[in-house]
Amino acid sequence: MRSEYAIPDIQFQFQLHGTHYRTVEPGWMYPEHNHHFLEINLVTEGRQAVNIDGKERIQQSGDILIIKPGVPHSSRCIGNVPMTYQCVHLDIDDEVLYPLINRLNNVLFPEHSTISEKLRPYLQRIFQIQDDQSGAAAEARIATRIAILQVIVVLAEWASSVRISDFKLDKTDSPLQLRRLRERNGLEKKVRELMIEGSPEETIDESAFPPYRWIGMYSIRFPDIGFWSKPDRFMAKIILQKELESLGTVVTVVEEPSILALIFSDHFAVPPMEEYAARCKTAMEQKLHTEVESSFGGMTTLLQEVGRLYKQCERHMKSDGTEDDSPTFDFVHRDIRAAMQYIEANYTNPHLSLARMAKILDITPNYLSSLFTSQTGLTFSQHLITIRLHHAKQMLRETNLKIYEIAQRSGYSDAAYFSRLFKSTFGISPNKYKASMSSYT
């Protein structure tokens, strides 16, 4: 008998996504959809018909339906009475438990089956905790996690009792989209630490975050506290990400009664951020049919300033109208922002110059030159060259255009000058760069 033994390391976590309960009227239906989560659906009142991959299953009150990840399904309330259901979307990020539970087919457990009687109390407990307003928030969070773990235990014990001859553990069993979602969840945790919990500057790992030239923050607040207990809360993050995705990588964090959006952008130009805040507000109100308040927290080029952007968002959301002398983090002057946007849209014009830009902005060339350098660290000409060569490299990689054509489309009428400038900047000629990119495809 051994005197010592080391247990292998185990990394395990779970996520709930879009978990909700709802009471619906006769005739209600939810269209066909699919997702990357294990769905556990409990009907507590009425009857539900669920079409799973073309096959209909009828749920009576007390029945539990398990739907595998990625399977198309739709549902409707049948009969003449309202129907109440509870829906849990569960992801188990574990190389053993994920393939174990997801190896089984979609299955309906009747009310008095052994698995239903084991699962139902824990599923109901998850929602009872949310309805109970008497306890502390921390206690509710703990109780919720305990109930979810109990659900996982029941599912794992049930799945392991079913013999499937070809079952094998596969670390790549989870789909690519789900692995990416898990990565996004991890990124949300890191951003939350930066924003709300605070991370010492020396502990920030820049490589753990998306690449960026600048970072911006928005806050969307829902004055109706009841909004957060409705299933529409899950749509709010999706809408916000959709409205802002053109700016860069969007990471959203829920901090009731607000949703915070942090944008990591590698764009050269800084867009009119306030206009995006108004656009987000309009989209939310139109699609969610509830009052929305929006706030632009500002921008920064430093990751360690994210916590201060969050505090600025909080100040903007105060209703007392008080002001303070804290930094605004609007790190680019409005004239420079306008100039950068104009350059991004018109870099192909070979006549674009500091003097022309100053005339458009109705300021002097000397003032624009000084302001541009102090705000961006580059001269106007350096910034223009950076934009033009950035787009030139993209065309060299992605098109079959000739060098003189790329020069013209980058704002250079002289192809020889363009080639010399490209080589002096990148240490390689446009022709050799294009050839090197072709060898990788």
Side-chain angles (χ1 to χ4, degrees):
M1 184 176 178
R2 298 191 210 185
S3 60
E4 60 181 9
Y5 188 82
I7 301 295
D9 295 343
I10 297 174
Q11 295 180 340
F12 164 77
Q13 62 180 336
F14 63 83
Q15 304 279 347
L16 286 193
H17 298 265
T19 294
H20 63 281
Y21 76 90
R22 179 185 274 154
T23 299
V24 297
E25 297 300 318
W28 169 90
M29 67 173 294
Y30 199 89
E32 184 174 87
H33 63 289
N34 66 77
H35 45 69
H36 304 301
F37 313 112
L38 181 75
E39 181 168 328
I40 309 167
N41 193 296
L42 166 64
V43 171
T44 59
E45 295 175 321
R47 300 168 67 224
Q48 177 173 229
V50 182
N51 188 300
I52 303 176
D53 213 7
K55 183 178 179 181
E56 189 167 77
R57 292 168 170 81
I58 305 299
Q59 270 182 282
Q60 310 286 347
S61 178
D63 293 352
I64 295 175
L65 182 62
I66 307 292
I67 305 175
K68 290 182 63 174
V71 176
H73 57 285
S74 61
S75 56
R76 57 192 175 91
C77 175
I78 56 177
N80 299 318
V81 297
M83 185 261 294
T84 300
Y85 71 91
Q86 298 176 347
C87 182
V88 173
H89 295 138
L90 177 65
D91 173 37
I92 304 169
D93 188 1
D94 181 79
E95 63 184 26
V96 174
L97 293 182
Y98 182 87
L100 172 68
I101 292 175
N102 289 290
R103 65 181 174 144
L104 301 170
N105 289 326
N106 309 301
V107 60
L108 176 65
F109 294 106
E111 178 184 9
H112 297 297
S113 64
T114 301
I115 191 72
S116 277
E117 291 184 345
K118 285 184 176 180
L119 271 178
R120 194 161 48 247
Y122 301 135
L123 294 173
Q124 292 174 331
R125 177 66 177 145
I126 293 171
F127 293 97
Q128 288 168 353
I129 293 166
Q130 313 313 314
D131 283 340
D132 182 7
Q133 302 297 320
S134 61
E139 293 175 356
R141 288 196 293 268
I142 293 170
T144 300
R145 284 158 176 76
I146 291 173
I148 298 165
L149 285 170
Q150 289 168 324
V151 168
I152 294 172
V153 168
V154 173
L155 290 173
E157 289 179 343
W158 159 62
S160 61
S161 69
V162 179
R163 294 186 177 277
I164 296 180
S165 58
D166 61 352
F167 170 65
K168 62 179 180 179
L169 301 180
D170 184 356
K171 292 183 179 180
T172 63
D173 197 39
S174 54
L176 176 62
Q177 296 93 331
L178 180 54
R179 294 199 294 273
R180 286 178 175 169
L181 180 63
R182 291 170 180 169
E183 291 172 358
R184 177 170 286 275
N185 289 337
L187 181 58
E188 285 186 15
K189 287 184 179 180
K190 292 181 175 67
V191 167
R192 174 179 286 277
E193 291 173 1
L194 283 177
M195 272 192 205
I196 302 165
E197 299 169 14
S199 293
E201 183 175 339
E202 63 272 12
T203 67
I204 297 176
D205 180 8
E206 292 264 355
S207 65
F209 296 89
Y212 64 92
R213 287 189 172 88
W214 52 266
I215 301 169
M217 184 180 292
Y218 289 99
S219 177
I220 300 294
R221 182 175 179 272
F222 298 88
D224 177 14
I225 300 300
F227 172 81
W228 294 101
S229 63
K230 300 175 183 176
D232 282 349
R233 64 175 290 171
F234 307 116
M235 286 299 299
K237 288 179 66 173
I238 296 172
I239 295 169
L240 188 57
Q241 289 172 344
K242 188 71 175 175
E243 291 298 321
L244 298 175
E245 64 184 2
S246 63
L247 297 176
T249 301
V250 182
V251 183
T252 53
V253 174
V254 174
E255 186 69 9
E256 297 182 17
S258 300
I259 299 179
L260 301 158
L262 197 68
I263 302 103
F264 294 87
S265 180
D266 61 357
H267 294 185
F268 288 99
V270 180
M273 301 292 280
E274 295 82 357
E275 293 180 14
Y276 277 87
R279 184 186 303 178
C280 291
K281 171 182 168 64
T282 300
M284 291 278 192
E285 290 181 336
Q286 289 179 347
K287 295 176 182 179
L288 299 177
H289 308 292
T290 187
E291 182 185 355
V292 172
E293 298 173 359
S294 65
S295 170
F296 171 51
M299 295 177 289
T300 181
T301 56
L302 301 173
L303 196 58
Q304 55 265 35
E305 298 288 3
V306 166
R308 296 182 185 177
L309 289 183
Y310 168 65
K311 291 178 181 177
Q312 182 160 292
C313 271
E314 282 191 317
R315 289 196 299 272
H316 287 179
M317 285 298 184
K318 286 182 179 179
S319 59
D320 59 7
T322 57
E323 305 241 348
D324 57 40
D325 57 358
S326 302
T328 65
F329 294 96
D330 190 5
F331 76 96
V332 179
H333 189 279
R334 63 180 180 275
D335 285 335
I336 301 305
R337 287 168 62 181
M340 294 169 80
Q341 291 170 45
Y342 188 87
I343 292 171
E344 184 68 37
N346 297 276
Y347 68 91
T348 58
N349 181 357
H351 303 295
L352 183 57
S353 65
L354 176 69
R356 181 182 290 264
M357 189 74 257
K359 185 176 181 179
I360 291 170
L361 295 174
D362 195 25
I363 56 179
T364 67
N366 285 341
Y367 176 70
L368 176 58
S369 176
S370 175
L371 188 61
F372 207 102
T373 303
S374 66
Q375 291 279 297
T376 70
L378 298 174
T379 65
F380 178 89
S381 295
Q382 288 171 333
H383 182 77
L384 178 58
I385 290 169
T386 299
I387 295 290
R388 284 174 167 171
L389 294 186
H390 168 78
H391 288 284
K393 287 181 76 173
Q394 186 175 2
M395 286 185 277
L396 287 166
R397 289 194 305 267
E398 301 175 3
T399 73
N400 293 319
L401 293 171
K402 298 183 182 301
I403 299 302
Y404 78 88
E405 293 175 313
I406 291 175
Q408 290 174 350
R409 297 189 184 196
S410 301
Y412 297 104
S413 55
D414 186 341
Y417 173 74
F418 163 73
S419 294
R420 290 195 302 272
L421 183 61
F422 191 97
K423 185 172 183 179
S424 66
T425 302
F426 301 116
I428 186 174
S429 70
N431 277 316
K432 288 185 178 179
Y433 179 80
K434 186 176 183 66
S436 69
M437 291 297 103
S438 300
S439 66
Y440 288 109
T441 58

